[in-house]
Amino acid sequence: VFLTLSIFPGQRLETIDNVKNTGRVRMEHDEWRAESETDETIAEGAQVTIVRVNGTRLIVRTQNKQ
């Protein structure tokens, strides 16, 4: 079940790599596991947008992607 959110900014805390099953972001005061919406690797320092929640994971994309 997917829960659609309004678009929220997130702070990426760990490189997001769906293949390696890595990725963490901070939304407000909470840390969440994260996956890339497009399966791209999102490198350290990138700003991300949280587009939805899938269970206990946030699905994100880089902010410059629409």
Side-chain angles (χ1 to χ4, degrees):
V1 173
F2 287 100
L3 172 65
T4 302
L5 300 176
S6 300
I7 304 296
F8 288 104
Q11 178 185 10
R12 194 207 37 74
L13 300 175
E14 175 183 51
T15 297
I16 298 168
D17 186 328
N18 293 2
V19 174
K20 294 180 180 176
N21 196 29
T22 62
R24 287 197 176 278
V25 297
R26 181 182 309 276
M27 185 174 75
E28 296 183 352
H29 301 290
D30 298 319
E31 284 188 27
W32 290 73
R33 298 275 303 140
E35 293 181 9
S36 171
E37 179 182 48
T38 62
D39 288 330
E40 72 178 309
T41 298
I42 302 175
E44 185 173 338
Q47 295 295 311
V48 296
T49 300
I50 300 161
V51 294
R52 68 181 176 271
V53 176
N54 182 8
T56 61
R57 292 179 184 252
L58 298 178
I59 308 303
V60 302
R61 66 174 173 238
T62 56
Q63 283 189 355
N64 60 351
K65 303 252 184 209
Q66 296 296 329

